[in-house]
Structure formats: structure tokens, C-alpha cells
Amino acid sequence: MNNARSILSLALSSLIALSACRKDQESPGGIKDDSLPHRYANGMVSSATPEATQAGMEVLRGGGNAVDAAVAVGFALAVSLPQAGNLGGGGFMVIRMADGRSTTFDFRERAPGKATRDMYLDSAGNVIPDLSLTGALAAGVPGSPAGLLAALDKYGTKPRRQVIGPAIRLAAEGFRVQPGLAANIAEKLHDFSRFPSTLAIFAPDTIPLKAGTTFRQPALARTLQRISDSGAAGFYSGTTADMIVRQMERSGGIITHQDLLDYKPSERRPVVGTYRGDSIISMPPPSSGGPLLIQMLNMMEGYDFHTIPFHSAAHAHVMAEIMRRAYADRAHHLGDPDFFSVPVAGLVSKEYAKSRAATITDSATPSARISSGDMSAYMHESPQTTHYSVVDKDGNCVSVTVTLNASFGSKLVVDGAGFFLNDEMDDFAAKPGAPNLYGLLGDTANAIVPGKRMLSSMTPTIIIRDGRPWLVVGTPGGSTIITTVLQVIQNQADYGMTLREAGDAPRIHQQWYPDTVYYEKGAFTTATLDTLKSLGYKTVERDAPSGRVDAIRIIDVDGKRWMEGYSDSRGYGSAEGY
Ligand code: GLY
């Protein structure tokens, strides 16, 4: 492979000279941030809203551990970030306790018992537009309440009322609507107008909530109170369950009381790997995030990025080819491990990554020439989402990504219960080869089966350096989640950026199909784009930001451990510590 690398560098060296930006070499990412990062020793939370960050801080200051605080943030996001924070959706939590134990909670939604493989196809076998995205039929059985409470029961230290209390207060007393939330509601007014239960809360008299107004959600406060009083039973049975099932009956959905009673989160072993000596702890299937992140990092180990300038044509080329190969594997090999034998050990093996990277040449490989890799040797083994990161004073770390799928999920609020239902059914492969909301492809591994979890890209991750936590990281962003996490890691590990520089730097993305390299504004110079074109790449500037990272980095300064937080400048979240 080293030979392949040197051929690649020789072939590209003249192009690099033309396109590499001198400024990039002096200041990776071209980001200037002269302000010193705020550092804290006792605990830190980074999330997508200041209200949720405060909820986590309240629990940490009250003596709760990182899991207690993470559960508090999860419930508070269900109130303050209705686009993605949720009760009616699902998510993943990765935990690394200070004593070295690590684990994950999978509370991904499941297909209802009445779901069928072809439920989103018409009689001619074509995908019916929007059916898996908007309205009751788009919803999988929610997992967030059960998952957060399972993590609290096993790894938390505080009672339910203490960790759900801040969310109940927030819903009952209200919070000030951020311009970002007001804009998102206004954008979706057309979809919301199909559902009176949604309009009543987010656009009373069809006037969308305005920035700066106080937003109170009494129905949601009552639902949260039922969960606080009765645990998971306060959601999956009794009043809340009755409301969900009534909404299904009124709106053509299929989730039943039995589906709700049957929902159980799974505690799963994390998927682990290494990158240049750091240990990567991430989310296993039904997330594709952890396996693909580790596979891509393994392929990257074959390159010396010190000799490849940041966001030069050579850098973009190597990264795009690595991403292309990993996403081809995603389409074929990944699905819910309870229903499909996912070859995780193969996908994350260094040997497999070497064979995969060996097919990278010195120009773009058309996606049509890349198929999923041969896993036969390994077959025996068994934009809207939100991410937050928490670290406590003892060094317990929690990395959580939760989602409703699209912004505000199915757009359908459960009448009387005050929360949105997800549209996660769209994350299944409705039909082999038919792209989902994110343009992702899939086949049998991710086909719809009752009770099965749809494949996800969510990549909550914790990185250990020299035996101690170094980085807690994750992001929303649909299919771009995995490549965003990858670049935030690479920017720090290979390009020496600070956490803020690593997060703020423009990002690139390739996902096999479409056969296109997407980039954020400012990622490349015109000369670099010309070079990429000459190498065979189609490039497209994204019109929306790629991801919204909330991360915490733990560093040694003068022999003392400090936490530095980062809440993406693309969003309106906050990182706080004490
Ligand atoms: N709904 C986005 C994901 O889970 O990947």
C-alpha cells in the first residue's frame, strides 16, 4: 500500500503545487480564532440549545453524573428543539465510564407489527412519494423515552424526577423562541397545515411562532410528568399510549398498543477500533456510523497527511475515495443486527481496509465501478437530528445522538400529548436501489420487517488517548453525519487543529451515490476545484450547512485535566461547564 501511496503523491504533486493554499498550510482550515477557549474542570455539556445545556448543567451541579445529565439534556431537547429533540423518535447513546467500562444504548425506532416490506410502493412497484416521510404511516415505534430511562436506571445515580424536572419546567413555563426555530417552523407551515394538532401548537391561527416570543407546551409538560411519575409505562401504556394509538387511528397510521408495549431498548457492546494509536468507541449496528467511521479511519492510516495539505486536491481526492468505498459497503452490508447478519468485524478490520484502499488510484473512481466489498470471509460473525456531549468531574463521558429523521419528523403532533412522531420509516430501504431522503441506497439488509430497526448514520463517538478520554463527539446531518465526525477527528488528529477550528472548518462529503463530492462554501479554492474536475470529480457546493457538531475535548494543561466545549457555529447551541 505504501507503494500505492507514493505513486499517488507523485502523480498529484504537480497538481497539489497548483492548488494547495499556502494560507491553509500556515493555519489549517484557514480559521482564525484568537480567543482562548473556555476551560472547565468539573463538568461540561454541549448541546444544540442553551436550555438543554442548562438542564444538563443543573443536574451536574446537583451532584449527578454524566449519564444523569445526559438524560436530562435528552428530555430538555424534546422541549426546546422540536425539530429533532424528541419523545416520539429514537437515538443512540455511547457511554464510557471513568472506570474504563464502555457500553451503548440503542433506542432506535422499530417498524410496527403491521409494517410490510412493500408498504411504501404503489401497485406498479414504484415508491409513493412522501408516504414514508410525512404523516402517521411514516412513524416507527418511538424509542427515546425507554432508551433514556434504561440508561438512567443502569448507569445514572439520580431519581427520574430530578433529571426530567428541568424539561417539565421548560415545557410548562416556556422558553424564548430562537430565530432558528421560528424560521424552521415558518418553512414547514405548508406541511404543518395538514395536521390540526401540529398547527395548534406551532402556528395557532396559522401564524407561525415568532422569534422572541415565550413558547409554553402544557400538553408536553403533562406527558413528561407522566413519564417522570411512572417511568417508561408513562409513555408506552396508559394515557400517552392511548393518545398515540388514537392519533394513528385518526391519521391512517399502524402503531398499536401492542407495538408500544413490546418496545424495548437494547444495551449493545460498542464497536471499537483505533486510529494512529487512539481508541475509537462508537455506535454499532443498527447504526452504520460506528462501523463506517472506523473503516474510513483504517483506510486513512495508509496515508501520511502531514505531506498532504489540508483541503488540497490531493486531500479531497483521498478522502472522497475512502468515503465512496465505505458508503458502498453501507448500502449492502448494514442493517439491524437482530434481523440481518452484519459483518462488523470484517468492516472494521485493518486488513479489509487495506484491501479496499488498495483500489484507490490517482484519479476519481466512478461509483459505478465500485461495489460493496467481498465480506464472504467475514460472514460468520454475527436535516434533522441532534447530538450532545457530556463529561462529568470524574471523567464519565456520554455521547448521544437522537432524531425524528426529517426536521419535525412526520410533522404530526400526537393530539393531547404535545410531541412530534418521527418519520424514521424512511430510513429503511423502501425498495432496493431507490434513494431515501438522504439519497442513500440499500437492499435486503435494510428492508422493512415488523419489529426491525431501520439503519441509521448516527455516530455518537468517544475517543480515548493514552488511556484517558480525549474527545466526545457527534453531529446531526443525515448521511453526512459519519463524514462530519470523521473530519472533525481528522482535523485535530492529523492537522493539529483546535476543537473549534476542527468544527468550524468547511466540510466535504461523498457517499458513493450520487457520484458527487459535496462541499461547504469555502472548502476549496477555485484552483483546487479545477484540479478535482481534471481528476474526474463532479463537485457541488452545498446550499445548507453540513452537520452541527456538539463536542467536548479533554486536555492536559500543566498536569491538570481540563474540558473544552464546542457547539457548532452553524447552529444556535451552547457548550457550558463549571
Ligand atoms: N434519521 C437519520 C439517521 O438515523 O441516520
Side-chain angles (χ1 to χ4, degrees), residues 92 108 330 384-385 403-406 424 427 438 440 455-458 478-479 481:
F92 299 134
R108 185 74 163 156
R330 182 192 193 280
Q384 271 293 349
T385 294
T403 186
L404 286 165
N405 195 25
E424 221 70 63
D427 271 350
Y438 306 106
L440 291 167
L455 185 59
S456 173
S457 299
M458 293 187 288
S479 58
I481 289 174

Side-chain angles (χ1 to χ4, degrees), residues 177-198:
V177 174
Q178 297 266 3
L181 172 56
N184 290 163
I185 293 170
E187 279 159 24
K188 299 293 177 209
L189 188 60
H190 176 72
D191 289 330
F192 287 1
S193 64
R194 286 176 52 187
F195 307 114
S197 54
T198 306

Side-chain angles (χ1 to χ4, degrees), residues 497-510:
M497 295 187 201
T498 65
L499 176 56
R500 175 178 297 257
E501 287 170 338
D504 282 350
R507 300 193 255 268
I508 65 172
H509 177 71
Q510 213 291 335

Side-chain angles (χ1 to χ4, degrees), residues 148-169:
L148 292 173
L149 294 177
L152 180 70
D153 272 356
K154 186 144 178 200
Y155 295 95
T157 63
K158 295 289 180 189
R160 274 197 308 270
R161 65 180 158 68
Q162 208 162 326
V163 298
I164 305 180
I168 297 175
R169 269 199 329 268

